[in-house]
Amino acid sequence: MKLCIAEKPSVARDIAEILGAKQRKEGYYEGNDYQVTWTFGHFCTLKEPHDYYDQWKYWRLEDLPMIPASFGIKLIDNPGVQKQFKVIAQLVEQCDEVINCGDAGQEGELIQRWVLLKAQNTKPVKRLWISSLTEQAIKEGFNALKDGALYNNLYAAGSARAIGDWLLGMNATRLFTKKFGTGKIILSIGRVQTPTLAMIVARQKEINAFVQEEYWELKTIYRETEFTAAIDRLKSADKANKGLAYLKEHPFEITSFERKEGREGNPRLFDLTALQVEANKKFGYSADDTLKLIQNLYEKKLVTYPRVDTTYLSEDLHPKIAGILQDLTPYSALTAPLLAHPIPKLKSVFDDKKVTDHHAIIPTGMYPQGLPLEEKRVYDLVARRFIAAFYPECKVSNTTVLGKVGQVPFKATGKQIITPGWREVYANDVPDKKEGEEEEKTLPIFVVGESGPHIPKVHQGKTTPPKPFTEATLLRAMETAGKQVEDEEMRELLKDNGIGRPSTRANIIETLFRRKYIEKRKKNIYATQTGIELIDTIQNELLKSAELTGNWERKLRLIEKGEYAMETFKQELIAMVMELTREVKNNAYKVITLTPETPPEVEKEPKPKKEPKPAISIDALYCPKCKVHLLKKGHAAYGCANFQVCGFKLPFEMMGKKLSEKQVTDLLTKSKTAKIKGLQVPGHGAETEGRIVMTKDFNFEIG
């Protein structure tokens, strides 16, 4: 018997259907010599400090640093997780071979390996490695299963990351909280979180320290074209007026006219960060929102695996591109010109050297129907970017005109689109204007030496402060370890040294918001006083440096490639934590008295914060009546999988209200919902407010 372990019940259901394992059992499917079971996210976590030593339960400076002799894992404290894990452990013991069908990435590998480690698996392991959840992709994946050992380095990198975050997070958070915190404050420190906050604080300080200055520029209009003086901005109105008087005494003369044809390269395919940046710029979506939306589209089989950091496709995908474009029927007006000719094998799109485990995010070709607006928008971004990548380049004409008035040089530039090329895909979009970029305008033909009257003027302006981060610009700064980079090629080179991973950056930003270290005003992100004071308290540059943290990320990627030892990385972090502890204990900085975070609460001997419990999938819950069989979703209700015998069912709609997934989960796990307005009691005309309660005989009433 072969045992497949998926990461979600829905994925397990799809795999079971394709493999012919159609018999539903308690916590798994069976049939055709396969058993298919599932986790629902993280089942295991690294042990907490008190799991190693009782005295580590309390937050005391004298116990730091906490360095376990070896790291262990434990099951998450959740009844649903523990029940499903028992099923997995029994199946692991009975099977002949395990097929790891977890999410095909570092986090997915870690989740599955920890479950197998906890289940004490000794059976051979194969790996299903796929980039989409379509039926074709799953079938192809099972026909080309990999040896699980091929992903040992990926697992090692995931373990090193988790251990590194534990070592620094657990120790530094307790260290700074006990040394500098007062009252109930928790000063949270993290390997990626803290340098990200430091970048925002640094920008905030630049903005706060900015002193606005007035300036004056000389301009003139010659032949209906505005020219700007190519000299330093003037610092006084007096100098500007003297300059204006000088200009009025001399004619305008053309000294150079140059028109060059250029090309605007096609936009790159999306990696996760680029998609999050675009969705933030166009729709104001947070990085976390975009990650959830693209993950939903992936699970609906509409796009390929999203947690990627490459903008390239593998070369073996080239023959499939025409078929995907053909299937994008809502975009047929845009794909028709491409399909009229063979699809070019562009080096800017296909490059095996730039692709490791996964390729860029692209549509699968499946037709999207009935999508919510937010998902439709994100799908449209992916689909149009995919189409635009294969269009011709955009041809432009760039014009530069130089002139002079007496001894004062002037300049004007213009750009004209000759052939729109890939811009046709975005014909209805308002183009983004980058800072310093010229507007698209056509300049007349000028002849060198021509001269004539002009209309000079003075433009008065004010200097502007540095721009605060938005989620889009913050994601880019994290990707490039704080370096301001516009060039796509350079950005690709810097990705190995970015801080965080594409899949974790959204969560880091959300954590900073949740801890009230940063706040959002419209689209802009600002450091709060809490965040500023925390960064000011940290004297150790290593904790705050995006560049040095990016170096850790590079080492984690080298571990993934088998080019760096996990144990070396761990020992480096241990040495750093020990040095940091010694330094902070022996130095006196100012104590921080701030508004306490919510919800963490520090007691006299505070306990460490526990990880939030994962959301429970209704598919993973057992029938509350018989407590033997899992629940099954029907057309109008959830019911016991053994309904004919047990008879339990929970309708989707009750007392005139369609129940949300949260309300259904509350009924199943707590036997009651929160208060609901507008409930209708049979036989009574008026609506009422109350809780829906599941009675002891498994009926439902208003309580």
Side-chain angles (χ1 to χ4, degrees), residues 107-312:
E107 199 71 6
E109 189 69 18
L110 190 66
I111 287 170
Q112 295 281 330
R113 292 286 190 114
W114 277 358
V115 166
L116 291 174
L117 186 64
K118 191 69 181 169
Q120 299 180 331
N121 175 57
T122 57
K123 310 296 170 59
V125 179
K126 290 283 199 304
R127 185 57 158 109
L128 175 70
W129 195 267
I130 52 179
S131 285
S132 80
L133 293 174
T134 62
E135 183 177 340
Q136 181 186 353
I138 292 171
K139 283 180 177 177
E140 288 176 359
F142 271 95
N143 288 332
L145 290 172
K146 313 287 186 186
D147 186 338
L150 291 174
Y151 300 92
N152 285 349
N153 290 331
L154 188 67
Y155 169 54
S159 294
R161 182 181 297 278
I163 289 169
D165 288 342
W166 192 103
L167 279 167
L168 192 59
M170 290 288 185
N171 282 290
T173 296
R174 291 187 179 198
L175 181 66
F176 279 84
T177 297
K178 297 309 292 180
K179 182 76 177 180
F180 307 114
T182 59
K184 294 182 178 181
I185 182 117
I186 289 180
L187 301 178
S188 178
I189 308 291
R191 186 179 57 84
V192 179
Q193 165 194 313
T194 303
T196 303
L197 176 59
M199 286 196 295
I200 300 168
V201 168
R203 179 67 58 85
Q204 183 70 48
K205 287 186 173 181
E206 287 177 32
I207 294 169
N208 292 347
F210 176 78
V211 178
Q212 193 172 66
E213 295 179 353
E214 286 187 309
Y215 66 85
W216 290 261
E217 286 181 316
L218 297 176
K219 294 179 179 282
T220 192
I221 296 173
Y222 173 69
R223 286 181 54 191
E224 299 182 349
T225 301
E226 185 176 86
F227 288 78
T228 301
I231 58 174
D232 291 339
R233 287 172 170 174
L234 303 172
K235 298 296 175 73
S236 73
D238 185 51
K239 284 186 177 179
N241 289 328
K242 285 180 180 176
L244 181 63
Y246 176 81
L247 296 181
K248 288 178 178 178
E249 294 174 3
H250 302 275
F252 188 93
E253 182 185 346
I254 297 294
T255 58
S256 173
F257 179 80
E258 191 176 62
R259 179 170 284 172
K260 287 184 179 178
E261 282 200 9
R263 296 173 183 271
E264 287 187 353
N266 301 47
R268 295 291 179 93
L269 295 173
F270 281 126
D271 59 10
L272 178 58
T273 302
L275 179 63
Q276 289 168 318
V277 166
E278 195 70 10
N280 181 256
K281 287 199 296 192
K282 285 200 169 176
F283 310 120
Y285 294 166
S286 72
D288 194 48
D289 288 340
T290 303
L291 177 56
K292 287 173 183 171
L293 293 168
I294 194 68
Q295 183 70 22
N296 289 346
L297 292 170
Y298 170 64
E299 289 172 14
K300 289 176 180 177
K301 308 174 178 60
L302 298 174
V303 300
T304 57
Y305 183 71
R307 297 167 186 260
V308 297
D309 59 358
T310 181
T311 58
Y312 291 87

Side-chain angles (χ1 to χ4, degrees), residues 179-180 539 580-590:
K179 182 76 177 180
F180 307 114
Q539 302 297 305
L580 175 68
T581 305
R582 184 198 61 75
E583 179 186 312
V584 172
K585 280 183 177 181
N586 294 335
N587 283 280
Y589 311 129
K590 73 170 184 174

Side-chain angles (χ1 to χ4, degrees), residues 59 184-186 514-515 596-603 609:
W59 290 35
K184 294 182 178 181
I185 182 117
I186 289 180
R514 194 169 60 249
R515 289 180 174 148
E597 287 180 47
T598 54
E601 194 170 4
V602 183
E603 300 163 1
K609 291 194 307 178

Side-chain angles (χ1 to χ4, degrees), residues 33-92:
D33 202 32
Y34 283 99
Q35 291 172 326
V36 184
T37 187
W38 57 85
T39 62
F40 26 94
H42 281 274
F43 267 27
C44 297
T45 183
L46 286 174
K47 286 181 178 178
E48 293 175 85
H50 62 267
D51 294 316
Y52 296 103
Y53 301 104
D54 284 341
Q55 67 264 34
W56 285 1
K57 182 187 292 187
Y58 309 113
W59 290 35
R60 295 187 296 227
L61 275 175
E62 56 266 33
D63 290 332
L64 301 178
M66 301 177 293
I67 313 288
S70 62
F71 283 84
I73 58 170
K74 66 176 184 177
L75 274 179
I76 284 172
D77 183 17
N78 177 294
V81 165
Q82 290 170 355
K83 200 162 194 174
Q84 182 64 9
F85 177 76
K86 283 182 183 175
V87 173
I88 295 171
Q90 288 170 359
L91 295 175
V92 165

Side-chain angles (χ1 to χ4, degrees), residues 303-505:
V303 300
T304 57
Y305 183 71
R307 297 167 186 260
V308 297
D309 59 358
T310 181
T311 58
Y312 291 87
L313 301 179
S314 53
E315 292 165 31
D316 61 359
L317 274 174
H318 179 253
K320 298 181 180 180
I321 299 302
I324 297 172
L325 289 167
Q326 186 79 51
D327 290 339
L328 294 177
T329 48
Y331 301 90
S332 55
L334 295 173
T335 58
L338 296 178
L339 293 168
H341 308 281
I343 301 299
K345 197 170 185 179
L346 304 166
K347 195 65 180 172
S348 59
V349 176
F350 301 96
D351 191 342
D352 283 345
K353 292 176 183 175
K354 303 285 179 67
V355 178
T356 51
D357 301 324
H358 292 287
H359 54 68
I361 306 168
I362 61 171
T364 60
M366 292 187 67
Y367 185 83
Q369 289 179 307
L371 291 179
L373 175 62
E374 291 83 1
E375 288 182 16
K376 190 181 289 185
R377 283 173 164 177
V378 172
Y379 181 85
D380 185 67
L381 289 178
V382 174
R384 286 181 187 273
R385 184 63 66 96
F386 177 67
I387 294 166
F390 298 101
Y391 259 67
E393 288 182 313
C394 170
K395 292 182 181 177
V396 297
S397 172
N398 293 309
T399 306
T400 303
V401 187
L402 302 180
K404 66 177 183 177
V405 178
Q407 299 301 311
V408 181
F410 280 83
K411 182 179 181 180
T413 59
K415 183 171 77 172
Q416 183 183 8
I417 293 177
I418 300 170
T419 308
W422 60 265
R423 282 179 175 263
E424 287 183 27
V425 180
Y426 301 98
N428 297 326
D429 286 12
V430 177
D432 292 328
K433 186 176 181 298
K434 293 176 183 174
E435 200 171 344
E437 189 176 68
E438 285 297 321
E439 290 180 23
E440 289 173 16
K441 60 181 179 182
T442 306
L443 297 182
I445 301 290
F446 292 97
V447 178
V448 175
E450 71 172 86
S451 181
H454 60 107
I455 307 169
K457 61 179 181 177
V458 172
H459 167 73
Q460 183 179 352
K462 292 181 180 179
T463 55
T464 55
K467 289 186 176 179
F469 281 114
T470 63
E471 285 209 32
T473 56
L474 182 57
L475 284 165
R476 284 299 190 204
M478 292 173 78
E479 184 183 54
T480 56
K483 294 182 173 65
Q484 299 297 312
V485 179
E486 289 295 334
D487 183 72
E488 289 282 359
E489 287 289 340
M490 182 58 68
R491 196 179 283 152
E492 284 288 328
L493 293 172
L494 286 170
K495 279 182 180 179
D496 277 359
N497 286 66
I499 59 174
R501 288 178 71 84
S503 55
T504 61
R505 287 175 191 140

Side-chain angles (χ1 to χ4, degrees), residues 615-628:
I616 300 172
S617 167
I618 295 172
D619 280 348
L621 292 173
Y622 284 80
C623 170
K625 186 175 180 182
C626 69
K627 296 182 174 61
V628 173

